Amino acid sequence: MTAPGRRSSTFTRLLRHGFTDPSAAERLLDGAELAELRADPVLLEALGATADPDLALHGLVQLLEAQPDPTARQELLDTLIAAKPLRDRLLGVLGASEALGDHLARHAGDWQALVTYEPRDLHRGVEEFERGLAEATDPVSLRVAYRRCLLSIAARDVCGTIDVAETAAELADLATATLRAALALAEAAAPEDAARCRLAVIAMGKCGGHELNYVSDVDVIFVGEAVESPVGGEDTDETKAMRAATSLAAHMMRICSETTVEGSIWPVDANLRPEGRNGPLVRTLSSHVAYYQRWAKTWEFQALLKARPVAGDPGLGAEYVAALQPLVWQAADRENFVPDVQKMRRRVVETIPVAEVDRQLKLGPGGLRDVEFAVQLLQLVHGRADTSLHSGTTLDALEALAAGGYVGRTDAAQLDEAYRFLRSMEHRIQLHRLRRTHLVPEDEADLRRLGRSLGLRTDPVTGLLRAWKRHASVVRRLHEKLFYRPLLDAVAQLAPGEARLSPEAARERMVALGYADPAAALRHLEALASGVTRKAAIQRTLLPVLLGWFADSADPDAGLLNFRKVSDALGKTPWYLRLLRDEGAAAENLARVLSAGRLAPDLLMRAPEAVALLGDG
């Protein structure tokens, strides 16, 4: 018996291994379920390696209690003792996901899905997931099979067998297999409808881009056609075919979205279709093409970047992509293209509740969406001439942009690192309870588990918050300048040995920004950014921001020309350089004044003291 006032050696060891409630953990370890493992030092080490040792231990006891008989319980215990890969996988999941721990307690044999550890098991694809879902005969059994497959992804994710990009790709492959299984169930329930139509399911968003979250809406678009009859028969009436296809599509969506005793899988969202929720759920291919040719907005072409056929009729899906992809790469020719994309981004930020802005991983300033918007904007501008940029996956597209000189390699590497860290945070937050959220938690215990899940063990909360703020700051600093900085490198040639924008690519980018005379604009940039003077160095820092402000004005050419005139006239005066370097508000006001008309630079040069007043608005 432990002497009064002294801690037991087990209590101390539990604290050392990361338990936050050693008393409760000690009681669980003393229980009958863990009698054979109590003295095994490997167990405590394995629990201590998890994101939340207390949660992992509780989940393990729950799982042992759920085993149907002593033989099954002994099999689990023996495997835990003998197989380190299984032990790491199982305890890793139990320590990271309360939701998957509850699933294992309800389906006590599913832990065996984690036993195999072979090279072919490291990167599962659609076919493997289809085999895992093959026995599902109704929505409930499909949910159980889906969670079992999800368990295998989560286990390899938390153990580091697959990285964040591979995890996201596997989640998209599992979603593809699930959509196919759900459509098969819908067709089996209505064979007459299935015989009347061809139906293709097009994945959009993160599923289409092969970069899905653990819990996310799965965005889709449906394409339908009437079935052509055999020789001598009659074609199916198009109205009847569309009615049948709509019924199948709606049933498929319900199978995935509806809540059962096993919960739901995820919502299937078809609101990216033409006319959104006000438009028909299923359209023919010709109707889709007509809409995008006549009525589609800029953001709709941006969304089509990630369109990918995933289920239903593969031939029809391929026809859809072949018909619409050429339209995507013409989007940058639309009037006000860049301002439209940037306004859409600002509109998204404005919809975030004020109380959530500082906790938003996805939509807030410096969040995931900033990286995605910047990458997509550059893809749309340069993808018409360069097919290497046609990837729907953010990190792959970013790599291609860097390889082609459209983005500086250092900027691309920093964005890649930041995006991976932010996505890892998002994954682990969602994995805990399998809930759709992009908010960083406020609770200390949640932050601790999140930090530990990302490998931060010494001071997980402080380390997590510091790393998050650092990566968000990088994204905030780069996401808009990413579009403008390579223009300076192209004309000033300040990065020897690094791929730079070609003259044609630089011209394309200036046209996309709204410059009517891109050649003259590039000459102005060269004059402003070249050289080793203090003025040139300050202007190279400021120009990416100024170019953004000029692009938002009615006459970008006038704004840039006027800035060059003022810079040539006043650029050697110390107070003017201090103004540009120190006064963010003054620089923005200067840009707005210079965009206002031809008289603005003349007035400023005649009365230079007026420039100093710009800091006051």
Side-chain angles (χ1 to χ4, degrees):
M1 184 173 178
T2 306
R6 296 185 61 188
R7 297 293 192 188
S8 71
S9 60
T10 302
F11 187 99
T12 304
R13 280 191 300 142
L14 290 170
L15 280 175
R16 192 168 62 248
H17 280 95
F19 287 83
T20 58
D21 189 352
S23 298
E26 201 168 5
R27 288 193 296 273
L28 290 174
L29 287 167
D30 285 339
E33 289 78 12
L34 291 175
E36 292 187 37
L37 294 177
R38 190 179 303 126
D40 186 351
V42 174
L43 176 63
L44 275 188
E45 290 176 10
L47 288 167
T50 67
D52 187 338
D54 301 85
L55 182 63
L57 178 58
H58 175 75
L60 178 59
V61 171
Q62 226 183 359
L63 177 58
L64 287 165
E65 290 174 342
Q67 295 307 305
D69 54 57
T71 302
R73 187 179 301 114
Q74 191 61 49
E75 182 184 3
L76 173 55
L77 287 169
D78 291 345
T79 310
L80 274 172
I81 294 169
K84 183 182 187 304
L86 179 279
R87 185 168 59 244
D88 291 343
R89 285 179 170 197
L90 178 58
L91 295 181
V93 168
L94 293 174
S97 179
E98 183 180 310
L100 288 176
D102 291 342
H103 170 86
L104 283 168
R106 290 196 309 274
H107 303 280
D110 278 7
W111 66 268
Q112 297 197 37
L114 306 180
V115 171
T116 56
Y117 196 83
E118 301 171 8
R120 63 178 175 79
D121 180 48
L122 300 186
H123 304 291
R124 303 184 71 183
V126 176
E127 291 182 0
E128 287 84 357
F129 289 127
E130 283 187 299
R131 285 195 288 272
L133 303 176
E135 296 181 5
T137 57
D138 55 55
V140 174
S141 59
L142 181 60
R143 281 158 179 71
V144 174
Y146 174 84
R147 287 290 174 91
R148 189 182 306 121
C149 292
L150 193 66
L151 182 67
S152 71
I153 297 176
R156 288 174 294 115
D157 174 18
V158 299
C159 290
T161 306
I162 52 178
D163 66 18
V164 63
E166 291 165 332
T167 300
E170 288 199 13
L171 289 167
D173 284 341
L174 175 55
T176 295
T178 305
L179 290 169
R180 292 177 183 178
L183 182 57
L185 291 177
E187 290 174 339
E192 291 184 359
D193 284 344
R196 285 196 180 101
C197 65
R198 299 166 65 203
L199 177 65
V201 184
I202 312 297
M204 306 287 284
K206 281 189 161 53
C207 183
H210 234 71
E211 51 188 8
L212 196 61
N213 300 328
Y214 273 103
V215 187
S216 174
D217 288 359
V218 171
D219 296 307
V220 300
I221 285 177
F222 295 105
V223 191
E225 296 287 349
V227 170
E228 295 181 7
S229 67
V231 177
E234 295 183 2
D235 290 352
T236 301
D237 175 78
E238 185 176 285
T239 302
K240 290 180 180 178
M242 289 301 98
R243 192 179 301 128
T246 300
S247 178
L248 290 173
H251 191 183
M252 187 203 81
M253 292 174 69
R254 288 197 302 275
I255 288 171
C256 295
S257 306
E258 283 184 349
T259 301
T260 70
V261 292
E262 289 292 339
S264 63
I265 300 176
W266 17 248
V268 176
D269 189 342
N271 289 336
L272 290 178
R273 66 186 186 269
E275 299 179 85
R277 64 184 62 195
N278 296 320
L281 183 62
V282 183
R283 287 177 182 260
T284 63
L285 179 56
S286 60
S287 176
H288 276 284
V289 172
Y291 174 84
Y292 284 102
Q293 286 177 335
R294 298 175 189 173
W295 310 111
K297 299 178 177 63
T298 298
W299 70 264
E300 293 177 278
F301 292 104
Q302 187 178 351
L304 282 174
L305 268 172
K306 296 183 181 294
R308 179 171 64 94
V310 290
D313 189 299
L316 182 57
E319 290 176 44
Y320 174 91
V321 170
L324 292 181
Q325 283 300 299
L327 300 180
V328 172
W329 306 113
Q330 297 169 14
D333 294 336
R334 296 164 65 91
E335 188 176 357
N336 299 319
F337 164 71
V338 171
D340 281 352
V341 174
Q342 293 172 332
K343 284 175 187 174
M344 174 62 69
R345 174 67 191 120
R346 288 194 287 269
R347 197 173 301 133
V348 169
V349 174
E350 289 165 1
T351 64
I352 305 171
V354 175
E356 294 183 359
V357 169
D358 292 336
R359 297 169 53 212
Q360 259 284 354
L361 274 175
K362 178 181 178 181
L363 302 178
L368 294 162
R369 190 54 62 87
D370 277 348
V371 181
E372 293 160 358
F373 261 67
V375 168
Q376 290 165 20
L377 182 58
L378 290 169
Q379 284 182 274
L380 289 169
V381 169
H382 298 293
R384 184 174 187 177
D386 189 345
T387 58
S388 73
L389 305 180
H390 288 195
S391 173
T393 305
T394 301
L395 291 178
D396 290 348
L398 181 58
E399 182 180 4
L401 286 165
Y406 305 104
V407 172
R409 286 195 176 276
T410 300
D411 289 346
Q414 290 180 328
L415 276 183
D416 181 282
E417 182 186 5
Y419 190 77
R420 287 175 184 272
F421 183 84
L422 296 174
R423 284 301 304 271
S424 296
M425 282 184 68
E426 181 183 53
H427 278 186
R428 300 300 166 80
I429 290 169
Q430 293 183 348
L431 181 59
H432 181 221
R433 291 193 174 93
L434 290 181
R435 292 178 183 168
R436 182 174 180 262
T437 179
H438 309 284
L439 293 177
V440 177
E442 296 176 297
D443 180 76
E444 185 87 2
D446 288 335
L447 289 170
R448 181 177 184 273
R449 181 186 57 256
L450 179 57
R452 283 175 59 90
S453 77
L454 297 171
L456 304 168
R457 297 303 170 90
T458 304
D459 186 354
V461 175
T462 301
L464 171 71
L465 296 178
R466 184 182 297 125
W468 170 37
K469 296 302 181 186
R470 176 170 58 85
H471 286 299
S473 176
V474 167
V475 173
R476 277 197 304 273
R477 178 169 54 84
L478 290 179
H479 96 275
E480 287 186 352
K481 294 182 181 181
L482 201 70
F483 196 74
Y484 306 105
R485 183 175 293 163
L487 288 167
L488 306 186
D489 292 341
V491 296
Q493 300 184 1
L494 296 167
E498 182 168 316
R500 287 193 292 269
L501 285 179
S502 67
E504 178 59 27
R507 192 196 71 81
E508 284 176 351
R509 196 169 296 194
M510 297 305 289
V511 170
L513 286 168
Y515 287 86
D517 189 349
L522 289 168
R523 287 196 300 271
H524 298 326
L525 283 183
E526 183 175 6
L528 289 162
S530 297
V532 293
T533 65
R534 182 166 170 246
K535 179 182 78 168
I538 292 173
Q539 290 180 162
R540 283 195 295 272
T541 300
L542 188 61
L543 271 169
V545 181
L546 288 174
L547 286 171
W549 287 327
F550 293 149
D552 284 340
S553 71
D555 192 346
D557 297 81
L560 183 57
L561 172 61
N562 290 340
F563 179 64
R564 181 180 176 184
K565 287 180 179 179
V566 172
S567 176
D568 288 346
L570 304 177
K572 293 182 180 180
T573 57
W575 60 267
Y576 178 74
L577 295 178
R578 279 199 305 274
L579 181 92
L580 294 185
R581 186 189 62 203
D582 300 331
E583 297 289 343
E588 182 172 1
N589 288 328
L590 175 62
R592 299 190 190 288
V593 169
L594 293 174
S595 300
R598 294 181 180 178
L599 294 178
D602 295 334
L603 291 172
L604 290 175
M605 287 184 286
R606 288 175 190 167
E609 66 276 4
V611 179
L613 299 177
L614 292 171
D616 299 324

